[in-house]
Amino acid sequence: MEDRQVETVSTRALARLRQNGWLAGASCAAIIAVSVAGQVSGYVAAFACLAVLAVAAMAPGRETEAAVQPVRLVPEANPLEPLSAVHLAAAVADPLVVFDAYGAVVHANDAARRAFDGMRAGLSLPLRFRAPEMQSVIEGALAGDGTVLSVDYSERLPVERSYHVTASPVGHDTGLYVLVFRDQSEARRIDRMRADFIANASHELRTPLASISGFIETILGPARNDPKAQANFLGIMQEQTGRMSRLIDDLLSLSRLEMKPYLRPGQTVDVKETLEAVISSLTPLMADTGMALEREFGEGSFLVSGDRDELFQVLQNLLENACKYGRSGGRVVVQLEKAVSGGVHEVVATIRDFGPGIPQEHIPRITERFYRVDVETSRTQKGTGLGLSIVKHILTRHGGRLTIRSEVGKGSSFAVHLPIA
């Protein structure tokens, strides 16, 4: 209110100054002329002119209606007004379907047409979505009081997708309603992975722990005075504690990798030198298993960007698996070469064994955590079920990949592809 009054007073003063400007101008001209003639000083002339202008601004005059009106700012037009509902629906990333009071589709955005085959104007939603939960939410929206309804819904084909669906009216008394499908498939998959991981980790730890607990009870009870049995049981307990220790180490390693999956390492690593170090570290294991190693290394350097310790872990894991699970073949071939794939120059390190091989149905899942082709064989070889999962995470972090080829009875081949530095 005060701002408006000040604005009005200022406007009135300017109007009066304009109306009495001829008198103020003439008076100032006379004062300046006298000053030039030397009758008064310049300072006195300036003050006299200011006084004349102040009197002119305060003097009464004829005020037009326009002069006393406060200045009003014209609001800008709403930038959303030119946009149509179709434009707004197209900007929504989630599938969105507008339907009428008969349940027929009026409009479906691009995301809805990609997610649901055959989604088009005129399609009956109750016929398209026959699941009871979708029937219920559509009927509730049509017969409801304008409240927002929601339900969880899953599409099985062509791939399983999970959605959280909300239904609500469009505006007031328009006769139109909208369904919005929020895709929750990735969140559901992560929840299942987390639950499976906890269950598998608990099982893997519980088994050796139960074994150790049982042997302790035996040593304290029936074998209290049997040194030979005690020595046997203590050996088994030591083996089981080693198994738990390896599992915990792998879990910690996997956890660290998952916390930094997109941090690209900045070092330069020579894959040939790293592979030679891995071979040297596993020489005792190859001697114990009777495996013969064959090298097929290309000429020159094999430099990649990465973390040497992590790449050492990848190559060690693959070579150790070849020695353990492919021992029936009697030999392992280690190849190192350069190749071009999809326009990308790569260093390719391949470790091949000639053991029993892996059935094709297991290959897509073999890098999952705790997934085993043969549970008994894996535990006999002191495997934790996390090795290939760690390999996959390290290679993802390095911008690389792992390719697996295998044929039952002829062995397996694991190839590590890394971009050349």
Side-chain angles (χ1 to χ4, degrees), residues 35-261:
S35 174
V36 172
Q39 300 296 322
V40 295
S41 67
Y43 289 110
V44 174
F47 280 117
C49 286
L50 289 175
V52 169
L53 292 175
V55 171
M58 298 178 63
R62 292 178 301 171
E63 298 176 356
T64 62
E65 182 178 357
V68 298
Q69 288 294 325
V71 179
R72 293 184 175 88
L73 298 176
V74 179
E76 297 181 0
N78 189 339
L80 293 179
E81 288 181 356
L83 297 178
S84 68
V86 175
H87 293 141
L88 297 177
V92 178
D94 296 321
L96 182 148
V97 179
V98 180
F99 60 101
D100 60 19
Y102 299 98
V105 175
V106 175
H107 176 75
N109 67 358
D110 290 339
R113 290 193 291 271
R114 289 193 301 268
F116 308 111
D117 292 337
M119 184 61 66
R120 64 186 184 280
L123 178 69
S124 173
L125 286 180
L127 293 179
R128 172 59 180 82
F129 299 105
R130 296 179 178 272
E133 59 271 21
M134 287 299 295
Q135 296 279 334
S136 176
V137 77
I138 294 172
E139 293 175 1
L142 295 175
D145 56 358
T147 58
V148 178
L149 303 177
S150 63
V151 69
D152 290 330
Y153 168 69
S154 295
E155 282 269 318
R156 304 297 180 185
L157 297 173
V159 294
E160 185 175 357
R161 309 294 297 178
S162 298
Y163 299 96
H164 183 71
V165 186
T166 57
S168 59
V170 178
H172 299 285
D173 299 327
T174 61
L176 297 177
Y177 306 84
V178 63
L179 285 176
V180 179
F181 297 77
R182 176 159 296 179
D183 195 340
Q184 295 186 323
S185 305
E186 185 64 16
R188 296 286 179 85
R189 185 184 70 85
I190 292 174
D191 287 341
R192 285 197 298 267
M193 286 179 59
R194 185 182 296 111
D196 291 343
F197 176 76
I198 293 173
N200 289 327
S202 301
H203 174 74
E204 293 293 333
L205 288 171
R206 186 184 297 114
T207 302
L209 189 61
S211 176
I212 293 171
S213 177
F215 285 124
I216 290 175
E217 291 179 2
T218 304
I219 291 174
L220 294 176
R224 182 188 301 271
N225 299 316
D226 189 343
K228 184 177 180 179
Q230 289 181 1
N232 182 35
F233 294 155
L234 288 173
I236 298 174
M237 291 165 63
Q238 184 179 24
E239 181 181 340
Q240 295 299 321
T241 55
R243 176 183 170 187
M244 285 196 296
S245 178
R246 290 191 301 273
L247 178 60
I248 292 172
D249 288 342
D250 283 351
L251 288 173
L252 291 175
S253 179
L254 190 58
S255 177
R256 284 192 297 266
L257 290 169
E258 289 179 340
M259 289 177 65
K260 53 178 182 180

Side-chain angles (χ1 to χ4, degrees), residues 204 243 246-248 250 325 370 372 378 382-387 390:
E204 293 293 333
R243 176 183 170 187
R246 290 191 301 273
L247 178 60
I248 292 172
D250 283 351
Y325 301 106
F370 295 111
R372 292 183 172 96
S378 176
K382 302 180 180 179
T384 63
L386 295 173
I390 292 174

Side-chain angles (χ1 to χ4, degrees), residues 229-369:
Q230 289 181 1
N232 182 35
F233 294 155
L234 288 173
I236 298 174
M237 291 165 63
Q238 184 179 24
E239 181 181 340
Q240 295 299 321
T241 55
R243 176 183 170 187
M244 285 196 296
S245 178
R246 290 191 301 273
L247 178 60
I248 292 172
D249 288 342
D250 283 351
L251 288 173
L252 291 175
S253 179
L254 190 58
S255 177
R256 284 192 297 266
L257 290 169
E258 289 179 340
M259 289 177 65
K260 53 178 182 180
Y262 303 113
L263 298 179
R264 293 292 299 277
Q267 305 173 16
T268 299
V269 182
D270 188 342
V271 179
K272 179 185 286 188
E273 180 273 330
T274 305
L275 195 50
E276 290 284 5
V278 169
I279 293 172
S280 297
S281 69
L282 293 179
T283 299
L285 175 63
M286 288 186 283
D288 291 340
T289 55
M291 299 291 285
L293 180 72
E294 300 177 13
R295 291 178 176 86
E296 295 180 5
F297 292 175
E299 297 295 330
S301 61
F302 294 83
L303 300 179
V304 300
S305 295
D307 184 290
R308 184 187 183 281
D309 291 338
E310 292 183 0
L311 293 180
F312 185 97
Q313 187 176 8
V314 167
L315 298 172
Q316 182 185 46
N317 193 303
L318 296 178
L319 185 55
E320 187 175 358
N321 284 349
C323 294
K324 289 180 178 179
Y325 301 106
R327 62 190 306 174
S328 60
R331 64 191 180 104
V332 175
V333 176
V334 180
Q335 297 174 318
L336 190 58
E337 59 185 348
K338 295 178 182 178
V340 179
S341 177
V344 178
H345 293 264
E346 298 177 331
V347 170
V348 183
T350 305
I351 298 175
R352 181 184 178 190
D353 67 69
F354 299 86
I358 304 170
Q360 291 297 316
E361 62 269 20
H362 293 288
I363 291 179
R365 300 190 59 192
I366 201 170
T367 57
E368 294 180 11
R369 291 176 292 189

